Amino acid sequence: MQQTRKYLLIGAGIVVLGAIAYFGLRDTSDRNKKPDNVQIVKTALAEQKTIAIKVFANGYVTAINTVDVRPKVQNIVRTIHVKEGQFVKAGQLLFTLDERSDQSNVAKARAELAAGQSDLADAELTLKRNEDLLSRNFVSQAVVDTARNKVAALRNTTRANQAIAESSSIALSDNRIEASISGRIGIISVHPGSLAQPSGEAMVTISQLDPIAVSFTLPERELANITATYPQGNAPVTAQLPGQPELIGKLIFIDNAADTQSGTIRMKAQFDNATQKLWPGSFVNVSLVSRNVSHAVLVPAQAVVTGPIDKFIYVVQPDDTVKEQKVDVVAIEEGQAAVTGLNAGARVVVEGTQNLRPGSKISEAREKSATPEKSPPGASAY
């Protein structure tokens, strides 16, 4: 009987201890548990500052000057003085054509000029003598007039021979084909002995590589912003090749008409290219600042929620509830949205908007500690 009573007391004690432990743990969990209607979110403060609005486009590199080298007259190529891909300077000799025929023409013209000059000198002496004789009444006036007319005719002939000699010299110089600009030459399409023709294929093409240009198109709506921001038209432009740092240039050309089909307008920027990083025909990513928005209210772009009708932002109230604030997005730049309809300093919800409704209670998400917890002494590193 006493043993049975002992077991009953022990059993009752175990039940009491279990009840105390159960209600104690439940009370602790209830204190740590947040109400079901509280949403965990991340927030940020709206800032006010000036933001630069950039526009982006795909561009391609073009040479500012490109010259197709052709002869003025049909002739045979005698000597080629350059190599394909060579950089040349303006005035450098590229080709020499067969000049023997032109040399003979020059010699003939000079000989005729010399003969005409001799006849002119003789006629001038004759005129002078006749004028002296006329003063002494040894010859008539008609003789003097004839001598004077002959001098005039020979002077005109001498001028014509002089022009022929100069023309022959020019034709002779045309057999020396020189570079008209500095740049890099491409494929040479002729060889010694080839017949070069003015209307045929270009003998070679010279492209100016420094400075160089980048052509691109922008929506026509950006034209008003660019011309208002840069009245002189010298807007800074950046170009970037894949995996390369940005290159800085300036806008040098805006087309005089927009494309009515695409609604875009062509532009061109100039870049220094001493290291030849930009090559004609290459595609580059282009960007430029079209305008600056002063005193813009900025929020993270992900804070803007697109509703069925309008765009809005959840703004946190002093009692940690949220309300919808309708906004208009002016621009989005580098992850920041410039909006109107919101005051600077407002606390807005950035993450967790999908579970919110007007009046929802929110709580700020805690940042995870970047410092790892220390392992107890003797614990394995694995």
Side-chain angles (χ1 to χ4, degrees):
M1 187 70 179
Q2 291 181 353
Q3 188 174 1
T4 300
R5 185 177 181 182
K6 179 179 178 182
Y7 289 148
L8 290 174
L9 290 175
I10 294 173
I14 293 173
V15 171
V16 172
L17 291 175
I20 293 173
Y22 170 77
F23 287 106
L25 291 174
R26 181 178 179 181
D27 182 65
T28 302
S29 63
D30 288 342
R31 287 197 304 268
N32 293 336
K33 187 177 179 181
K34 295 182 180 297
D36 292 339
N37 60 346
V38 176
Q39 302 294 331
I40 305 300
V41 299
K42 285 188 178 181
T43 62
L45 296 179
E47 299 178 317
Q48 187 176 43
K49 62 180 181 180
T50 300
I51 182 174
I53 306 301
K54 291 183 179 181
V55 289
F56 300 88
N58 294 323
Y60 60 94
V61 183
T62 60
I64 292 180
N65 293 317
T66 300
V67 175
D68 291 334
V69 179
R70 290 183 173 88
K72 291 183 179 179
V73 295
Q74 179 175 296
N75 207 342
I76 301 297
V77 178
R78 194 179 74 179
T79 309
I80 299 176
H81 301 276
V82 292
K83 296 180 180 180
E84 293 179 340
Q86 178 180 336
F87 283 90
V88 296
K89 294 183 178 180
Q92 182 174 339
L93 182 63
L94 304 177
F95 305 96
T96 300
L97 305 181
D98 189 356
E99 57 189 8
R100 290 174 296 178
S101 176
D102 292 319
Q103 285 175 341
S104 64
N105 291 335
V106 169
K108 179 181 178 181
R110 288 176 178 174
E112 292 177 351
L113 175 61
Q117 289 173 339
S118 297
D119 293 340
L120 175 61
D122 183 60
E124 288 175 342
L125 290 175
T126 301
L127 174 62
K128 184 177 181 181
R129 284 195 300 268
N130 288 333
E131 288 175 343
D132 290 340
L133 292 173
L134 177 64
S135 64
R136 299 176 189 179
N137 295 321
F138 288 120
V139 295
S140 64
Q141 181 65 43
V143 174
V144 175
D145 292 342
T146 300
R148 185 177 291 115
N149 290 336
K150 184 177 181 180
V151 169
L154 288 174
R155 284 176 178 171
N156 291 331
T157 301
T158 301
R159 293 190 188 99
N161 290 336
Q162 180 69 40
I164 292 172
E166 291 176 355
S167 178
S168 299
S169 298
I170 292 174
L172 178 62
S173 66
D174 288 341
N175 292 299
R176 291 173 54 86
I177 300 177
E178 300 175 345
S180 57
I181 63 171
S182 298
R184 187 178 189 270
I185 64 175
I187 296 175
I188 299 175
S189 62
V190 296
H191 306 280
S194 300
L195 179 63
Q197 303 182 60
S199 59
E201 183 182 0
M203 303 173 72
V204 74
T205 300
I206 305 175
S207 298
Q208 180 182 349
L209 299 184
D210 184 26
I212 204 166
V214 173
S215 298
F216 57 96
T217 59
L218 288 178
E220 59 185 10
R221 64 177 179 272
E222 296 293 344
L223 178 61
N225 295 328
I226 295 173
T227 54
T229 306
Y230 307 96
Q232 304 300 323
N234 56 346
V237 181
T238 63
Q240 187 173 25
L241 292 166
Q244 299 292 328
E246 288 185 342
L247 302 174
I248 308 298
K250 64 179 180 179
L251 190 67
I252 60 171
F253 169 75
I254 299 176
D255 203 355
N256 58 0
D259 189 328
T260 56
Q261 294 183 349
S262 63
T264 60
I265 187 166
R266 292 182 298 177
M267 300 183 184
K268 188 181 292 184
Q270 178 177 310
F271 294 81
D272 293 332
N273 194 37
T275 57
Q276 281 86 51
K277 290 184 177 180
L278 297 176
W279 208 256
S282 301
F283 286 89
V284 294
N285 296 320
V286 178
S287 65
L288 65 87
V289 176
S290 64
R291 58 194 171 105
N292 294 309
V293 179
S294 301
H295 308 295
V297 177
L298 303 180
V299 296
Q302 63 205 64
V304 180
V305 181
T306 301
I309 300 176
D310 301 312
K311 293 182 179 180
F312 61 90
I313 291 177
Y314 284 112
V315 180
V316 181
Q317 303 302 301
D319 60 352
D320 287 337
T321 60
V322 296
K323 76 169 185 177
E324 292 182 359
Q325 180 68 50
K326 178 184 174 182
V327 295
D328 292 323
V329 179
V330 178
I332 296 178
E333 186 67 27
E334 296 181 353
Q336 295 289 309
V339 299
T340 58
L342 183 69
N343 295 326
R347 184 182 170 199
V348 301
V349 178
V350 178
E351 295 182 8
T353 56
Q354 67 274 11
N355 297 322
L356 294 180
R357 298 292 182 273
S360 296
K361 195 81 171 179
I362 61 97
S363 177
E364 184 73 25
R366 295 181 180 180
E367 295 290 341
K368 294 182 179 180
S369 177
T371 304
E373 297 182 358
K374 294 184 179 180
S375 301
S380 172
Y382 300 96

